[in-house]
């Protein structure tokens, strides 16, 4: 049965093509969203009717543009970001197409700073802050390395990979564990203290393009490789416990919902499709095709997923 097209629940207009979009995953900054295009990163604030019953629609407030100078390939929020107290702190990191990592900091008034981290010798595909205090950053690259940095720019560790690194995630509850997904189809878990792998998963398929660690159930991992999504219970086997074809011409992104282990989203071709799945059900709650599609992110406190488009960011509210 063909999936039925579902129009986005909310959207807001932006300048240019959105290559990547990222909600802040942290409670104290959950209303913030960042999105990047060819040479800038923009930060805004979203308030949804699900949070404020007096609103009839999404209330979006643009807060700041940051000059980037090169295409934005990945965005990661720091847990140090907080706009509820003074002075306000907005801190996030980007991976640029020039193989450099940037850490942006702002008080949303006159104090902006950017720090550039150099070391990768090929494209940087993903970057993430350590989620408890934000004092460290991890990145993966086509140069077959995962690197760990202090936020002052010091490179703390280089972990050699067997292939290009496509996704990196810190354990949702244990900052000593790091998950690294490789294009070869292997997902490894590292002890951040020893920088040694402690276990691995194998989807038996390549190229793996995206993987995610479920925040509400850290024993569950999901990924997309080729045209399929894959799912693991890490306590059972290194082989996936479930898989399904989702994008016949190639899947690109996989993201777990941040408020439920039952929901996840994927993007891929044909049609630059966005799909939301409910684990355990065969129907697809959301399926939508776009002219262009960039990024995929879930809200920290609502079952809302966002995807960038051509001069627009689309958002879908999924039923739990």
């Amino acid at each position: 049965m063909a999936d039925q097209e579902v129009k986005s629940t909310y959207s807001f207009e932006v300048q240019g093509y959105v290559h990547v979009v990222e909600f802040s995953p942290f409670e104290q900054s959950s209303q913030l969203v960042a999105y990047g295009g060819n040479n800038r990163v923009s930060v805004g604030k979203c308030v949804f009717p699900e949070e404020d019953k007096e609103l009839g629609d999404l209330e979006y407030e643009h807060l700041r543009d940051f000059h980037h100078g090169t295409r934005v390939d990945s965005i990661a929020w720091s847990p140090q970001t907080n706009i509820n107290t003074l002075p306000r702190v907005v801190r996030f990191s980007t991976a640029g197409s020039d193989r450099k990592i940037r850490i942006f900091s702002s008080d949303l008034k006159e104090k902006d700073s950017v720090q550039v981290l150099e070391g990768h010798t090929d494209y940087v595909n993903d970057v993430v802050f350590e989620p408890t205090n934000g004092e460290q950053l991890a990145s993966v690259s086509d140069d077959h390395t995962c690197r760990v940095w202090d936020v002052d720019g010091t490179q703390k560790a280089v972990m050699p990979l067997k292939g290009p690194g496509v996704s990196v995630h810190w354990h949702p509850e244990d900052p000593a564990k790091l998950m690294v997904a490789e294009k070869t189809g292997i997902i490894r878990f590292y002890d951040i203290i020893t920088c040694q792998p402690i276990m691995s998963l194998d989807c038996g398929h390549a190229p793996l393009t995206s993987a995610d660690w479920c925040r509400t159930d850290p024993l569950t991992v999901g990924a997309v490789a080729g045209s399929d999504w894959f799912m693991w219970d890490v306590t059972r086997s290194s082989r996936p416990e479930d898989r399904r074809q989702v994008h016949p011409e190639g899947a690109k992104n996989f993201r777990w919902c941040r408020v439920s282990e039952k929901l996840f989203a994927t993007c891929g071709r044909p049609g630059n499709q966005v799909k939301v799945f409910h684990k355990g059900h065969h129907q697809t709650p959301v399926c939508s095709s776009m002219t262009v599609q960039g990024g995929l992110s879930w809200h920290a406190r609502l079952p809302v997923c966002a995807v960038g488009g051509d001069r627009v960011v689309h958002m879908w509210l999924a039923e739990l």
Side-chain angles (χ1 to χ4, degrees):
M1 187 177 73
D3 296 317
Q4 188 172 356
E5 287 279 326
V6 177
K7 187 175 180 289
S8 60
T9 318
Y10 307 111
S11 65
F12 62 88
E13 294 181 355
V14 302
Q15 290 183 323
Y17 165 54
V18 178
H19 195 67
V20 60
V21 59
E22 198 67 46
F23 281 117
S24 170
F26 304 108
E27 184 70 26
Q28 70 276 14
S29 54
S30 62
Q31 292 183 331
L32 295 181
V33 64
Y35 51 93
N38 286 330
N39 57 18
R40 78 162 70 87
V41 182
S42 301
V43 170
K45 180 181 176 182
C46 295
V47 182
F48 293 90
E50 288 72 24
E51 299 172 288
D52 185 343
K53 300 301 182 192
E54 294 183 5
L55 294 178
D57 198 358
L58 166 71
E59 185 176 272
Y60 174 75
E61 179 188 359
H62 179 264
L63 297 177
R64 196 84 155 178
D65 288 325
F66 299 86
H67 177 70
H68 198 261
T70 185
R71 191 185 69 227
V72 185
D73 288 337
S74 179
I75 298 173
W77 283 97
S78 165
Q80 296 173 3
T81 296
N82 194 331
I83 60 166
N84 298 323
T85 58
L86 293 175
R88 295 194 289 182
V89 177
V90 168
R91 186 163 294 141
F92 60 91
S93 176
T94 64
S97 60
D98 58 358
R99 309 174 183 184
K100 296 174 184 176
I101 296 165
R102 291 166 175 81
I103 300 175
F104 291 86
S105 299
S106 174
D107 64 358
L108 298 180
K109 287 187 175 178
E110 56 276 334
K111 282 182 69 176
D112 288 353
S113 70
V114 59
Q115 185 170 6
V116 180
L117 280 55
E118 298 185 58
H120 281 296
T121 58
D122 210 332
Y123 287 115
V124 181
N125 295 313
D126 201 12
V127 62
V128 63
F129 276 97
E130 189 279 314
T132 56
N133 58 33
E135 292 297 329
Q136 288 190 319
L137 191 73
S139 57
V140 288
S141 164
D142 282 352
D143 67 7
H144 295 210
T145 67
C146 171
R147 298 175 191 238
V148 179
W149 317 74
D150 277 346
V151 288
D152 65 3
T154 307
Q155 190 169 277
K156 298 288 287 185
V158 181
M159 290 170 275
L161 309 177
K162 297 286 198 300
V166 294
S167 297
V168 59
H169 295 282
W170 242 286
H171 189 286
E173 296 161 2
D174 183 355
K177 293 190 179 74
L178 196 66
M179 184 187 91
V180 176
E182 300 180 18
K183 196 174 182 178
T184 57
I186 303 292
I187 300 171
R188 295 182 216 279
F189 300 84
Y190 289 86
D191 180 321
I192 203 70
I193 310 299
T194 64
C195 296
Q196 295 299 311
I198 47 181
M199 66 173 287
S200 65
L201 307 173
D202 184 359
C203 70
H205 208 73
L208 189 156
T209 49
S210 176
D212 196 16
W213 211 335
C214 184
R215 187 165 85 162
T216 54
D217 179 11
L219 298 177
T220 304
V221 170
V224 285
S227 60
D228 297 8
W229 58 249
F230 298 80
M231 215 161 283
W232 291 262
D233 176 341
V234 300
T235 63
R236 291 187 178 179
S237 170
S238 64
R239 307 294 294 183
E241 65 171 356
D242 201 4
R243 69 178 286 185
R244 180 169 149 192
Q245 188 185 70
V246 54
H247 300 286
E249 292 177 21
K252 191 165 71 168
N253 302 88
F254 182 104
R255 290 289 183 273
W256 288 106
C257 176
R258 286 172 171 147
V259 296
S260 170
E261 67 279 3
K262 300 292 186 188
L263 288 173
F264 62 95
T266 64
C267 296
R269 295 177 300 275
N272 290 311
Q273 276 192 332
V274 184
K275 293 186 178 185
V276 172
F277 296 88
H278 197 292
K279 205 173 162 187
H281 293 275
H282 287 292
Q283 70 264 35
T284 308
V286 170
C287 177
S288 187
S289 299
M290 304 170 65
T291 312
V292 291
Q293 176 271 317
L296 174 64
S297 181
W298 287 89
H299 192 273
R301 295 191 286 119
L302 298 170
V304 170
C305 77
V307 172
D310 183 10
R311 290 169 292 185
V312 66
V313 172
H314 289 288
M315 301 177 183
W316 287 265
L317 175 68
E319 287 188 30
L320 290 173

